[in-house]
Amino acid sequence: MNILVCVKEVPDLDPEVELEIDPKTNWIGEDDTSRYMLNRFDEVAIEEALLIRERFEDSRIDAITVGPERSQAVARRAMGMGVDHGIHITTALSGYLDPLLVSKLIADIARKKAYDLILTGIMAEDTLQGQTGIMIAALLGLPWASSVIREEIAPDRKSIEVQREIEGGLRDLINIPLPCLLTLQTGINQPRYPALSKVLKARKAELECYQAAELCPDVQGVKTTGIDYPRKERKGEVLEGSLDEKADQLLNQLLDRSLIQ
Amino acid sequence: MEKSLLILEFADNEIKPVSYEMVAASRKLHDFLPGDPTAVVLGSKVLNPAETFAQRTGLDVIAIESEELEYYNSELHCKLLRDLIDEIEPGYILGANTTRGLDCLPGLSVAIGASCITGIEKLELYDDRLHVWRSICSGKLTMRMVSDSQRHVLCLQPGSFQLSDETPAKAGKVTSKPVAAIESRISNREILPHQADDSLLREAKSIIAAGRGIGDEENLELIRELASHLPRSAVGGSRPLCDLGWLEYGQQVGITGATVSPELYIACGVSGTSQHVMGMKGSGFVVSINKDPNAAIFNISDLCIVDDLTEFIPILIEKIKKRKESGEPKSKG
């Protein structure tokens, strides 16, 4: 099996990190202290590729990412988890990238490589769009399934049976011929931590690099024109005082509303 | 004149409520850009539901009916919708931001050379162009976008638009569109039932929910203990905790889990992604405990406690216990 995993760099969304907004770029602010990480949903895609390679031992896994120079780190992180080879498409700009542009760039490379299976996470943690994977499949003319919570490749490697998670925890059971593209729902596996030896090796590994400007797809896409903090949909009364005082206030409010006896 | 096409959400033999929200969004769209909406519904038996929808909304509905469409199939949906769009040439295509909408619409947008925006919560006319707002970064931020394309696919977040109840002056017309034999590489055979039992959550009067912010699995004990002191309570949680195996999938609140509306919902260390919020926003009174002051969950909370839950909850439990011991007013026992 020749497998491609698409991975993305996202801003570190750890609750301890304050998210700044940048009205100039209409995107999340970037400065020297900004931290970036591998999209956690993509770790699930990497792990599934590794599990498939354990089942079909002659498999080879490539990881591809699109972004500014620094985003090479997420391709290396994927290699630290066990991916065989990293591909980086460098964009001149950082900040918001249109999913159609990213899909066209990845499809351009994937078209030349004859992958049997392309995997992505269900969405990116920053933009929450869930589009790139499916757009890659559509551009390549491959069948796809999103939100996959279980997959089983037939022993003859010609097809794959998948369960797609839908609303309320129900599942669509479908069968797709290979090659195809799947976007993976969390819970399908528990992503492993990168092994130190592999991380060290990945740090020195040579990546296959392309310039987005050279691939230069023509995209009339979508751009961001504003960014803001969301509005409150409920009262959102913030309790003040010591922990003790706050607990008293909460208890009184619950009693007033007969929510506690 | 700007035409729009509404791709109605059809499942379990009915047109889903989000389809009515699409009508509300299309009215807003055509307030900005005058023109006409048309609806389309695909499925194996859609004529009767289409009639009801046309009567209630006044919209003309194209019913694409075929035995092959008994189960959702991305490839068939895309092919049939592409043919229809080629025929009626709408500038705007509105669909649902559901697991099926999200499976089909980005692919459809590529097939018809349109742009695609998912998770849309609001439409806005700005600089004479239609802009949309959507949540990003676990709901901590919201962004406005505009499409430079000639044709636009917009996926509407369920619960974001509301259709007024007034009956239209005239019922819409339903046109049945025959489907020639179509082939698909994908075979869709059945829908498997929910794998987990979520009846405890659905029946609970109070739900204490845990999110990734609880930090360690052992802190779940605090959540369980707090729940034990509240009437008819159940412990729930966000998807990441179920994925980690800390909670059962039957305890998951959210789009892919249970949709609940208890009288009291206490969210502990829950960030407030739309995946979670969609499952609990109908709750009566919402209290959130989170040390991140910018957590999105605070935007849909009645009471916000910005503290470390491992410090706050033990104090709260002690106070509840003390009250019970002092016996006033009398607990029901």
Side-chain angles (χ1 to χ4, degrees):
Chain A
M1 299 280 298
N2 202 4
I3 305 169
L4 177 68
V5 186
C6 308
V7 301
K8 188 188 175 191
E9 171 203 84
V10 295
D12 189 344
L13 297 176
D14 188 293
E16 312 283 320
V17 182
E18 181 98 15
L19 274 183
E20 300 284 344
I21 57 180
D22 183 350
K24 281 199 208 97
T25 58
N26 292 312
W27 189 235
I28 301 156
E30 290 181 12
D31 61 32
D32 297 346
T33 64
S34 302
R35 289 192 302 179
Y36 297 88
M37 53 181 255
L38 171 60
N39 177 33
R40 272 180 293 212
F41 296 123
D42 296 341
E43 288 180 1
V44 173
I46 296 167
E47 178 63 32
E48 200 63 20
L50 298 173
L51 293 172
I52 291 170
R53 194 178 60 189
E54 285 168 17
R55 270 182 269 156
F56 299 94
E57 286 178 355
D58 56 346
S59 299
R60 175 193 147 100
I61 309 168
D62 291 355
I64 190 166
T65 190
V66 178
E69 201 72 33
R70 61 157 194 264
S71 65
Q72 286 196 355
V74 297
R76 293 190 194 280
R77 173 93 185 170
M79 292 169 78
M81 285 175 72
V83 163
D84 298 299
H85 177 65
I87 306 171
H88 184 246
I89 304 176
T90 314
T91 56
L93 298 170
S94 60
Y96 178 76
L97 287 176
D98 184 52
L100 184 59
L101 170 70
V102 173
S103 314
K104 286 194 171 177
L105 290 167
I106 293 177
D108 260 10
I109 304 299
R111 200 171 279 123
K112 296 170 197 141
K113 303 229 178 194
Y115 292 107
D116 301 301
L117 182 63
I118 304 179
L119 302 177
T120 74
I122 190 168
M123 62 174 78
E125 287 179 88
D126 55 352
T127 52
L128 309 175
Q129 304 210 75
Q131 296 196 50
T132 304
I134 295 163
M135 285 178 160
I136 294 168
L139 288 164
L140 295 172
L142 297 177
W144 70 82
S146 63
S147 189
V148 170
I149 192 74
R150 208 185 129 88
E151 56 79 17
E152 196 175 339
I153 297 169
D156 67 4
R157 306 182 184 197
K158 288 207 166 79
S159 68
I160 184 163
E161 184 163 281
V162 307
Q163 294 181 9
R164 290 187 60 233
E165 193 174 41
I166 58 174
E167 278 73 10
L170 306 181
R171 293 174 178 195
D172 278 341
L173 178 65
I174 70 181
N175 197 284
I176 313 181
L178 291 170
C180 70
L181 181 143
L182 308 179
T183 84
L184 303 179
Q185 173 63 291
T186 58
I188 188 172
N189 59 42
Q190 298 286 345
R192 69 194 68 185
Y193 285 107
L196 183 62
S197 61
K198 291 197 179 97
V199 171
L200 294 174
K201 215 171 125 200
R203 209 176 277 167
K204 289 188 210 131
E206 196 153 324
L207 298 180
E208 183 179 337
C209 292
Y210 299 90
Q211 295 294 326
E214 285 164 18
L215 302 167
C216 197
D218 175 31
V219 174
Q220 280 185 316
V222 178
K223 57 179 186 253
T224 66
T225 60
I227 187 161
D228 208 345
Y229 297 98
R231 220 174 290 159
K232 288 202 181 301
E233 287 180 35
R234 290 192 187 222
K235 196 175 160 203
E237 180 188 348
V238 180
L239 296 185
E240 305 285 350
S242 65
L243 287 172
D244 207 64
E245 287 161 354
K246 288 184 197 176
D248 279 331
Q249 291 174 54
L250 171 57
L251 206 52
N252 286 335
Q253 294 234 23
L254 296 182
L255 284 165
D256 286 350
R257 291 178 169 78
S258 308
L259 292 168
I260 188 170
Q261 272 101 34
Chain B
M1 294 290 273
E2 193 68 75
K3 279 192 220 165
S4 66
L5 178 69
L6 281 55
I7 303 171
L8 306 183
E9 179 88 354
F10 184 79
D12 315 322
N13 300 313
E14 60 170 16
I15 291 174
K16 293 289 176 187
V18 64
S19 307
Y20 291 88
E21 296 177 24
M22 281 178 212
V23 180
S26 74
R27 287 191 186 152
K28 182 116 188 164
L29 167 73
H30 291 301
D31 278 349
F32 298 149
L33 311 164
D36 290 317
T38 306
V40 59
V41 58
L42 297 91
S44 62
K45 288 189 183 69
V46 294
L47 279 176
N48 286 337
E51 285 290 351
T52 313
F53 186 84
Q55 275 164 20
R56 283 183 57 190
T57 62
L59 242 64
D60 289 345
V61 183
I62 297 162
I64 300 183
E65 212 177 52
S66 161
E67 283 306 314
E68 321 270 344
L69 295 170
E70 186 178 354
Y71 297 108
Y72 163 78
N73 177 318
S74 56
E75 202 169 31
L76 294 183
H77 275 237
C78 275
K79 272 186 195 164
L80 293 165
L81 288 167
R82 187 192 58 204
D83 291 349
L84 181 68
I85 288 164
D86 284 349
E87 189 184 317
I88 64 176
E89 301 191 315
Y92 287 87
I93 293 115
L94 273 55
N97 205 77
T98 53
T99 54
R100 284 174 191 165
L102 284 172
D103 191 65
C104 169
L105 297 171
L108 176 68
S109 76
V110 168
I112 61 171
S115 65
C116 184
I117 308 179
T118 57
I120 295 171
E121 294 159 339
K122 203 174 115 189
L123 305 178
E124 180 184 281
L125 194 68
Y126 179 80
D127 269 354
D128 283 334
R129 292 179 70 190
L130 183 80
H131 287 60
V132 303
W133 284 94
R134 58 190 305 285
S135 291
I136 55 170
C137 301
S138 312
K140 282 169 101 169
L141 298 174
T142 171
M143 74 172 171
R144 186 177 58 198
M145 311 188 82
V146 69
S147 155
D148 285 332
S149 171
Q150 299 297 312
R151 189 171 267 168
H152 325 272
V153 173
L154 307 177
C155 308
L156 308 173
Q157 181 70 37
S160 304
F161 298 87
Q162 253 196 334
L163 186 64
S164 58
D165 276 337
E166 61 197 81
T167 322
K170 193 167 131 253
K173 195 172 77 209
V174 174
T175 316
S176 174
K177 201 170 169 57
V179 179
I182 35 173
E183 289 209 356
S184 171
R185 293 171 288 183
I186 298 176
S187 70
N188 207 344
R189 297 202 306 273
E190 61 177 300
I191 294 175
L192 305 175
H194 191 22
Q195 312 287 307
D197 177 12
D198 56 11
S199 55
L200 281 178
L201 278 184
R202 290 175 198 272
E203 287 156 17
K205 189 181 161 198
S206 346
I207 292 178
I208 319 304
R212 196 152 40 189
I214 67 162
D216 293 317
E217 186 174 7
E218 62 197 39
N219 292 333
L220 272 175
E221 270 317 305
L222 281 176
I223 309 293
R224 292 194 183 103
E225 191 180 351
L226 177 57
S228 73
H229 293 291
L230 291 164
R232 274 176 53 205
S233 64
V235 171
S238 62
R239 183 170 184 104
L241 293 205
C242 303
D243 290 338
L244 283 167
W246 294 3
L247 292 175
E248 302 287 329
Y249 278 100
Q251 292 176 287
Q252 186 201 337
V253 173
I255 294 172
T256 53
T259 300
V260 298
S261 47
E263 289 174 27
L264 172 64
Y265 195 90
I266 305 185
C268 308
V270 173
S271 66
T273 61
S274 64
Q275 157 71 245
H276 185 79
V277 168
M278 291 304 295
M280 51 66 73
K281 65 188 213 176
S283 303
F285 191 67
V286 179
V287 179
S288 293
I289 308 165
N290 199 311
K291 64 181 168 187
D292 177 5
N294 299 315
I297 193 77
F298 287 136
N299 294 319
I300 54 121
S301 300
D302 296 289
L303 272 190
C304 310
I305 294 144
V306 188
D307 276 300
D308 186 337
L309 62 94
T310 59
E311 291 170 16
F312 181 77
I313 294 178
I315 296 173
L316 180 64
I317 291 172
E318 275 317 304
K319 289 197 182 279
I320 296 174
K321 274 197 202 152
K322 245 186 226 160
R323 253 200 108 264
K324 278 194 178 158
E325 279 158 20
S326 71
E328 52 166 311
K330 278 208 171 107
S331 67
K332 282 199 272 183

